[in-house]
Amino acid sequence: MERSRSLVGMEVPITGSDSVKWIEVTVPSATPATSSSSSSSSPFAPLTEDAAACAIIGDPPTYLIWRIHKSQPCALDLVELCAHKEFPRTGIRILFPDALCPFAFICKDEIRCTSGNLYLLYALTVSGVAYLFKLRNIYTYESCSIFPSNDLIEFNLQTHPHYGEITAVAATSGSLVIGRSDGSVSLFQLGMFDQSAPDFVHELRDDAGIGRLWGFISRGRMVSPVQDLVISEVAGRKLVFVLHFDGMLRVWDLLSHSKIFSCTMSSTPLPGATFLRLWVGEANYDTSVIPLVILCRHALEVDMEMISIYHLRFSVGDRIIFFLEPSMQNIPSEEGKFIDVKLTSNKIWMLKQDGLISHNLFHTKTNLEEEHCYALQETFVADQLFQSSEHCLDDLLWITHSLFSTMKEQIVSFVSSIFLRRLLHPGVYHNSVLRTTLQDYNKHWTNSEFQSLTVDGLKKEILSLIEHEGVPESPSTLIYCWKNFCMRYFHYWCKNSAPYGLLVDSSTGAVGLIRKDSLSLFRCLEDIELLIYGSFDELGDFVNSGFDLYGDDLEREILFEVLRCISSISQQLGKTASALFYESLISAPIISSEEIVPRLLKILETGCSSSVAALPISDLGADGAWEKELANHKMLRKFSVDMLLSLHALCNKASSWSRVLDVIESYLKFLVPQKMTQGVDSEVLFNINTSILVQATSQVAKVMFESALDILLLLSYLVNISGQIHMLHDDISRIQLELVPMIQEIVTEWLIIHFFSTTPSESPALEDFSSQLSSLQIDSNIDRKSWNERLGKCDFTLAFMLLLNIRSSSGDLSHLSLRSLPSPRSFISSVRDFTSWMIWGSTGEESSAFFSHSTELASILLKHGQYDAVEYLLTIVDAHSRKEKLSGSIQSSDGGWCTLHHLLGCCLLAQAQGGLNGIQKEKKICEAVRCFFRGASQALQSLSSEAGLPHLGFNGHVSSAAWKLHYYQWAMQIFEQYNISEGACQFALAALEQVDEALGPQNDSCGEDPLNELATSFKGRLWANVFKFTLDLNHFYDAYCAIISNPDEESKYICLRRFIIVLYEHGAIKILCDGQLPFIGLTEKVERELAWKAERSDIAAKPNPYKLLYAFEMHRHNWRRAASYIYLYSARLRTESVLRDCPNLSLTLQERLNGLSAAINALYLVHPACAWINPLLGGNPLHNEHYPSKKAKKMVEEQSSSNDAQLQKLHSYVDVEKLENEFVLTTAEYLLSLANVKWTYTGMQKLPSDLVDLLVETNLYDMAFTIVLKFWKGSGLKRELERIFIAMSLKCCPNRVGSSLTRTHGLLLTSSKDDTAIHGSIDPDPSTQQSKGSNRWETLELYLEKYKGFNARLPVIVAETLLRTDPQIELPLWLVHMFKGNQKESYWGMTGQESNTATLFQLYVDHGRYTEATTLLLEYIESFASMRPADIIHRKRPSAVWFPYTTIERLWCQLEEMISSGNMVDQCDKLKKLLHGALLRHLNLLKVDSDDALSSSVR
């Protein structure tokens, strides 16, 4: 008969069981080394195999789990756990001197338990040495220590006479029973008697004669070797059941040492089978039956095994009588071996590599051949890591390319996110497995380093490894790298998590699995899971799942057909579609989840859009990839046809699509999280039961989520092909408007549940004060201390936090506080209760809001710093509420909408302070501000302070405005606390909008209400806060607006002072002077503050306050006051430069010039009658009245004592002329400083003649002439000009001045004596100050030509100076031309201006230059004689011609004296002759002209 096998449960891993730290304790050996070494070559006992078992001791039970590993044959691992505590982090590892047999027995030490010894441990090595350990509390042992010898009994079985090797061993308290290869059974009462005592050893044999004493006498009929031993208690007597190799079963009484039963077991269906193991169940005193289970193995095929179940009847009297029933049950292994078997009162549990099988020991007609299967974790891990099929990763690549065909550059990060999430999924993540896998990639850590890695740290390490292995930009290469990584990981996972044995607690029905490095329990499936997992066998036919469906048979058939269609769609898309959809909901989506479904439907209709190039051609090859694509197209065509036929058949069976939709809607109700009413008030602690519940909840949530997604895909597919299946418009509308929203809500609910159950908690930020406080462990709750340390680890998910905060629980959830492990079926009610609490809360009441319990969950998570989880939860709820258009009703009814946004705002604000920078931080802050504004509602009064809102001090009812006022102030303070001025400013402004209404007359009756105060002062404080925040943001214009908006005058004035100070510090004080700020009633205060700042600031401060005052007044068109401040700046520069002996004098002088120039320009804008200023030296009395001077007294005294006369002068008014005079003198001082000539203007000089001399000496001629023209008039001006030109002429004389040419400096004045400019820009480069010309003669010519208009005698002065200085000098031609003037004047002789040819002629004669004098005279006489005919008439006028006859006579006399003295006789004689001839002709001409003039007058 074929046996039906249905999936009824699955494995649930226990969190933390894979991370046990071992305390290694070494066993001292008293056995001689020779014995040990000899036994190692020929083992005396069974060889080491992987083995494990659990001893359940006490009430409440303590579970002692021991393991022996084949890879570590000399070690025995022992872990002690209790269901009401968390899984222990440490265990004891006992290191033996020799390899161990796969046997250990643990029991309670009944005799010495009061002395501290809790347990007894029996063990046996392969060399035949038996050990009895008297164990104390595990945590009392120290690592790397020696086991106390007084707590250890060691006995070498080889020292006892024997006739064969040990083949089996069993133990009970005080007794060790061994079976040998010769069939004998020996009892050693180890721990009860001394080894030398007579009763220490008993050999169990058929005869009781003397041979029993001597051991060498014949044993009678030979028996086959012992295969297995089991000690069981029946009717208060300990019996040992012995299974021999030939199938003989014998039962011995350990007390009487006699055999009480013997029979040969009936043959099994396996030909030539070998009997291997024996298991004995508990005696059922009602039926008087003891179940026996024997494992047989085929002699030829090792993997072919069979379990045979026998019923041994017994009767109790003076002696126990057994009778073996002839009937038996045979359970073949089909594939694989049996790893372990356990018996309970009515079931047999059989562990295999592919699952756990349960079978009824006492079957009835209804369950005759029924088996139930429990899935192992290997299946789940393989699915999670895409290892269940070799094509899973190829499908992932195909579908990913199809979904994100337009965004291929983002595929890499999306795919990596999927793998990382699944790799670190609870139940998949294994501490040692991941570390071993990373070691294959040369990633090595110490134990402490690896244990310190958080989830984020692990993600970074894994991602960097994957990116290093492949090409980050190539999705196919990346998936190939992930494939290799996951293959390695899954290989190590299976190796490190190999199943060793079963844990069965008969008292509670708990069934667990002991793996190599972990521990897990089994749970039963939910009703809907039974339908999903057990609906179809390989042919797709319905199999009874045990799930009761409502409705008639037709509705059941319709549902089964729907499920078949869903299964077809799921198989077509593969297991990767749900992974992609889930990731799009959890992570930052590349595309929204709403777009995923249409794209998946497009794949169902048209296939994947990826080209052949997108496939991993390196694996398949080009031909293989092309063949795969063709196969996919063929499969798509088959799917489309089959689906169309199935849907038509479904519609025909239901007679209409409306009925099909009714069935689907009824089915959807089973997917909705059930509402459970909470009752008992208790506290849930962190223990093994909570860990199991969280893992089971994640498994259920995953199934529900995927099932809801499958239905969503089916309904969407029906809508897409509605025309082909003849679906009516009403049915389509029903799907779109009713069923799809219902499914979306179901998907979202199970998504959140799965998210909580699988998402690791965030590690607390280092700067988080609350986490630092919790790390101090002030709280006395030990469990909370424990889970606080687990934050940030993969095995501590968000659901643990929620569970630990449940105060109310149902009767089923109370098992979490029980002190034993739960049965598989108790999981169902626990998961339902937990999911109900998460979705519906403790009451389970209906609410118009989606996920109304979200705010309570968010508050819990927020309290523990899980900000990312809070943001995700509330964002999903808010988005779904908006989609359902419920926001308005929520806000108006119970305030849930406002509470949601308040919590979301707290979360976003905390995230912004958690290390974010740049755009991400700004985005979080903006979102937080928006959420707080939305959350301003009195409904928040119900929130606890843990939600971020303290008690506001209201007594009784307050208005909405009053509530908002204080709420906005609270938000302002929170943002200010985090130094987020932008958000704080917005809430300060929002609070200002509520002041008038909140503090109006209607609130005057508040009595002791803290809001009862003056609105003016309240607004003043708020505006002062606005000012502070805007100033922190450098929004100076807004800060000033806050100042002028402040109604509190005192606060306003304080803010103004702070405003100016900050502007100075930031170098932004110019904002006061650019004319953009409206000085409404603050002009004088601003000026006063600036003046006070200027007076008490260093004169070299930048920006300079005096310049700012100048600009401030200029923008206000207050020209005179502007000139006053800038002149005061110049005066302070002059005074302080003298006192300080400033090294950068030229720069200071340049600043003084700029100040004076600005003052002059300002006064030119004023009417001339008002163009004067008060220098304001010492500050405005108004300023000093409010601000006492803080200058050093000594400095003031020095200034007053050294500058009394100067101060007296400066107190007088200053006009433009005085400013110009000072400007000119300061300019001269500046130019001299550039030439390194020191001269200081003190303001007391009358006529600075010495300054002119310095300027001329320094070749600063322009400046010298400027000063002369400015300060001298009339004869004084002429005299000073002559002095200058005398000095310049002397510099031109070779015998007085060197030949080096120095460029001279020009300045500000023009050559016109009527247009004298006295101020302008100064070029500090002396090289640019030289006037036209390249040497001194050119300079002299230039300036003489320029300034001879001021003094006509200047050419005479120059020529006289040159001739006097150097009598032999040849006057320059340009100078001679100045004397000659206009050539036309030569017609009238040597007449002309003061500097004429007669003067030049006289200078020649006076200085002995007779040749030049004669030549000049002859030139003019000849010119007079050669006049044009037209001008002769003019010459003949009376007194028309004049020559210096007196000087000519002197020349004549001088020539005669020279001739008479014998000096230059020839030359003088020649000159005399020339002079004589010229004069004779000239006199004759004059005579003729005179006669003509007389004759003309007579007429």
Side-chain angles (χ1 to χ4, degrees), residues 1410 1451-1459 1468 1471-1472 1475:
Y1410 306 129
L1451 175 62
W1452 183 269
C1453 295
Q1454 290 292 336
L1455 289 175
E1456 287 182 347
E1457 289 178 3
M1458 293 288 292
I1459 293 172
C1468 291
L1471 292 175
K1472 186 178 179 182
L1475 181 60

Side-chain angles (χ1 to χ4, degrees), residues 404 414 418 421 577-597 705 709 712 743-744 746-752 755 872-873 875-876 880 883:
F404 311 119
F414 188 78
I418 293 176
R421 192 178 307 279
S578 62
L580 294 170
F581 183 75
Y582 180 84
E583 191 64 29
S584 69
L585 291 169
I586 291 294
S587 63
I590 302 177
I591 59 176
S592 67
S593 58
E594 296 180 354
E595 298 181 27
I596 293 286
V597 173
F705 173 82
L709 174 61
L712 179 62
I743 297 173
Q744 290 176 342
I746 294 172
V747 167
T748 306
E749 289 172 344
W750 286 112
L751 169 71
I752 293 174
F755 173 79
Y872 177 75
L873 169 64
T875 302
I876 283 186
H880 196 279
K883 186 188 301 182

Side-chain angles (χ1 to χ4, degrees), residues 1-296:
M1 178 185 297
E2 279 194 11
R3 180 177 287 103
S4 62
R5 180 181 298 177
S6 59
L7 184 66
V8 296
M10 61 176 54
E11 181 185 357
V12 183
I14 298 178
T15 302
S17 61
D18 61 333
S19 304
V20 178
K21 297 180 181 179
W22 300 106
I23 300 173
E24 295 185 349
V25 180
T26 304
V27 177
S29 177
T31 303
T34 56
S35 173
S36 178
S37 60
S38 63
S39 63
S40 62
S41 58
S42 55
F44 183 69
L47 296 176
T48 306
E49 297 291 340
D50 293 330
C54 176
I56 305 174
I57 300 173
D59 186 19
T62 297
Y63 302 88
L64 293 165
I65 298 174
W66 61 266
R67 296 184 183 92
I68 296 176
H69 309 281
K70 188 176 182 180
S71 58
Q72 294 177 306
C74 298
L76 184 145
D77 297 340
L78 182 62
V79 177
E80 178 187 9
L81 58 95
C82 298
H84 61 282
K85 299 179 181 179
E86 65 174 306
F87 197 91
R89 302 184 185 183
T90 56
I92 185 172
R93 173 172 287 170
I94 303 175
L95 301 178
F96 291 81
D98 201 356
L100 292 169
C101 295
F103 159 78
F105 176 78
I106 303 175
C107 63
K108 185 177 180 180
D109 190 349
E110 300 287 354
I111 300 175
R112 303 175 184 87
C113 61
T114 57
S115 62
N117 295 332
L118 302 180
Y119 313 109
L120 297 177
L121 169 64
Y122 291 87
L124 179 67
T125 65
V126 296
S127 59
V129 179
Y131 292 91
L132 172 60
F133 297 91
K134 303 171 185 178
L135 296 177
R136 301 177 182 270
N137 190 313
I138 290 178
Y139 302 103
T140 61
Y141 296 100
E142 296 181 358
S143 186
C144 303
S145 62
I146 304 298
F147 196 89
S149 57
N150 56 343
D151 291 340
L152 173 65
I153 298 177
E154 179 180 354
F155 178 70
N156 191 347
L157 298 178
Q158 294 191 47
T159 61
H160 181 72
H162 60 277
Y163 301 94
E165 299 175 351
I166 299 174
T167 56
V169 59
T172 185
S173 179
S175 302
L176 178 70
V177 181
I178 61 173
R180 303 181 185 273
S181 60
D182 62 351
S184 63
V185 179
S186 300
L187 169 64
F188 298 88
Q189 300 194 46
L190 192 64
M192 293 187 64
F193 298 100
D194 186 80
Q195 297 180 13
S196 60
D199 293 332
F200 175 71
V201 180
H202 293 277
E203 189 169 346
L204 306 181
R205 48 183 295 163
D206 293 332
D207 55 330
I210 194 169
R212 175 177 169 186
L213 298 176
W214 298 100
F216 57 90
I217 300 178
S218 174
R219 295 176 175 269
R221 187 175 63 87
M222 297 297 295
V223 293
S224 61
V226 176
Q227 285 292 100
D228 201 2
L229 295 173
V230 177
I231 298 177
S232 180
E233 185 173 346
V234 180
R237 308 181 71 174
K238 291 185 179 180
L239 307 180
V240 57
F241 292 77
V242 182
L243 177 65
H244 293 268
F245 181 79
D246 58 358
M248 179 180 290
L249 176 66
R250 298 196 292 178
V251 182
W252 302 82
D253 188 342
L254 291 182
L255 181 61
S256 62
H257 310 146
S258 60
K259 181 176 69 176
I260 59 177
F261 179 74
S262 176
C263 74
T264 302
M265 309 306 292
S266 58
S267 60
T268 66
L270 292 178
T274 302
F275 296 90
L276 298 179
R277 295 288 306 277
L278 169 68
W279 291 274
V280 179
E282 298 178 356
N284 190 327
Y285 297 97
D286 295 332
T287 59
S288 299
V289 172
I290 300 176
L292 301 178
V293 175
I294 296 179
L295 172 64
C296 304

Side-chain angles (χ1 to χ4, degrees), residues 1233-1250:
S1233 68
L1234 294 179
N1236 296 323
V1237 177
K1238 187 173 183 180
W1239 180 86
T1240 303
Y1241 169 67
T1242 62
M1244 300 300 298
Q1245 291 87 344
K1246 294 181 180 180
L1247 294 177
S1249 298
D1250 58 335

Side-chain angles (χ1 to χ4, degrees), residues 672-684:
V672 177
Q674 298 186 27
K675 303 180 183 67
M676 307 294 291
T677 302
Q678 310 295 318
V680 182
D681 185 18
S682 62
E683 184 177 6
V684 178

Side-chain angles (χ1 to χ4, degrees), residues 1000-1188:
Q1002 66 274 16
N1003 289 295
D1004 289 344
S1005 60
C1006 293
E1008 298 179 357
D1009 196 321
L1011 298 177
N1012 187 17
E1013 58 180 285
L1014 293 177
T1016 299
S1017 60
F1018 212 102
K1019 288 183 178 180
R1021 290 199 303 270
L1022 288 175
W1023 277 118
N1025 282 321
V1026 173
F1027 163 77
K1028 175 185 179 298
F1029 301 139
T1030 53
L1031 202 60
D1032 292 341
L1033 294 169
N1034 294 333
H1035 296 169
F1036 301 123
Y1037 184 82
D1038 294 337
Y1040 182 77
C1041 291
I1043 294 175
I1044 63 177
S1045 301
N1046 196 327
D1048 190 336
E1049 292 298 326
E1050 182 180 358
S1051 177
K1052 177 188 296 186
Y1053 198 35
I1054 294 173
C1055 292
L1056 179 62
R1057 293 189 62 186
R1058 178 61 185 167
F1059 182 62
I1060 293 175
I1061 292 173
V1062 172
L1063 290 180
Y1064 268 110
E1065 293 174 352
H1066 288 76
I1069 195 68
K1070 294 181 180 179
I1071 193 175
L1072 289 175
C1073 310
D1074 57 8
Q1076 296 183 6
L1077 296 182
F1079 297 108
I1080 302 175
L1082 293 177
T1083 303
E1084 293 183 1
K1085 292 182 179 180
V1086 173
E1087 180 183 353
R1088 181 184 301 165
E1089 290 293 333
L1090 290 175
W1092 181 88
K1093 183 71 176 177
E1095 184 180 354
R1096 284 150 182 81
S1097 298
D1098 188 277
I1099 196 63
K1102 292 183 180 180
N1104 191 273
Y1106 287 104
K1107 294 181 180 180
L1108 297 171
L1109 280 165
Y1110 173 79
F1112 178 77
E1113 300 293 350
M1114 290 293 288
H1115 275 289
R1116 295 173 54 231
H1117 297 178
N1118 196 344
W1119 321 121
R1120 286 180 55 197
R1121 203 153 185 81
S1124 299
Y1125 284 118
I1126 201 65
Y1127 177 70
L1128 184 58
Y1129 170 59
S1130 178
R1132 279 194 61 186
L1133 281 173
R1134 182 179 68 241
T1135 304
E1136 296 187 14
S1137 64
V1138 173
L1139 294 175
R1140 297 181 181 181
D1141 192 17
C1142 184
N1144 297 323
L1145 181 59
S1146 60
L1147 297 178
T1148 302
L1149 292 172
Q1150 180 70 61
E1151 281 295 300
R1152 286 174 55 191
L1153 288 172
N1154 293 338
L1156 291 170
S1157 177
I1160 294 170
N1161 292 335
L1163 287 181
Y1164 271 128
L1165 299 174
V1166 184
H1167 190 276
C1170 302
W1172 53 268
I1173 61 174
N1174 185 346
L1176 298 174
L1177 189 62
N1180 193 325
L1182 181 62
H1183 304 156
N1184 295 331
E1185 179 182 345
H1186 289 270
Y1187 307 105

Side-chain angles (χ1 to χ4, degrees), residues 644-853:
L644 194 60
L645 294 176
S646 299
L647 292 175
H648 278 292
L650 175 61
C651 182
N652 293 332
K653 180 177 292 186
S655 71
S656 68
W657 282 111
S658 177
R659 188 166 187 180
V660 174
L661 298 181
D662 290 338
V663 173
I664 293 177
E665 185 174 1
S666 300
Y667 175 70
L668 288 175
K669 294 178 181 179
F670 291 100
L671 297 179
V672 177
Q674 298 186 27
K675 303 180 183 67
M676 307 294 291
T677 302
Q678 310 295 318
V680 182
D681 185 18
S682 62
E683 184 177 6
V684 178
L685 302 178
F686 182 64
N687 52 39
I688 294 177
N689 288 332
T690 57
S691 170
I692 298 170
L693 174 59
V694 170
Q695 298 300 319
T697 303
S698 69
Q699 294 174 351
V700 173
K702 178 178 182 294
V703 175
M704 297 298 188
F705 173 82
E706 293 178 350
S707 300
L709 174 61
D710 291 339
I711 299 176
L712 179 62
L713 290 173
L714 174 64
L715 293 179
S716 302
Y717 185 77
L718 293 179
V719 173
N720 283 5
I721 63 170
S722 57
Q724 303 178 41
I725 58 177
H726 310 296
M727 181 175 286
L728 300 178
H729 179 72
D730 292 341
D731 297 329
I732 298 175
S733 300
R734 181 182 178 187
I735 292 175
Q736 295 176 336
L737 300 179
E738 296 180 13
L739 297 182
V740 169
M742 182 188 302
I743 297 173
Q744 290 176 342
E745 185 168 327
I746 294 172
V747 167
T748 306
E749 289 172 344
W750 286 112
L751 169 71
I752 293 174
I753 295 173
H754 188 269
F755 173 79
F756 284 150
S757 303
T758 60
T759 302
S761 57
E762 297 177 49
S763 55
L766 295 178
E767 66 277 4
D768 188 0
F769 175 75
S770 62
S771 65
Q772 294 176 3
L773 188 63
S774 64
S775 66
L776 297 177
Q777 298 187 352
I778 299 175
D779 188 1
S780 60
N781 191 323
I782 298 176
D783 295 279
R784 293 189 179 275
K785 296 177 187 177
S786 175
W787 66 262
N788 279 337
E789 298 174 359
R790 295 178 178 268
L791 291 176
K793 301 300 182 180
C794 294
D795 56 359
F796 191 77
T797 61
L798 300 171
F800 285 105
M801 294 183 179
L802 301 179
L803 263 177
L804 295 173
N805 284 272
I806 295 179
R807 294 294 304 178
S808 58
S809 61
S810 67
D812 288 322
L813 231 178
S814 62
H815 91 275
L816 296 177
S817 301
L818 294 180
R819 307 173 77 85
S820 59
L821 296 177
S823 65
R825 186 157 295 278
S826 64
F827 280 93
I828 298 176
S829 57
S830 300
V831 171
R832 289 176 182 174
D833 191 80
F834 185 40
T835 56
S836 173
W837 178 82
M838 280 196 287
I839 299 299
W840 308 107
S842 58
T843 60
E845 296 178 356
E846 290 284 351
S847 173
S848 60
F850 167 74
F851 206 171
S852 58
H853 190 48

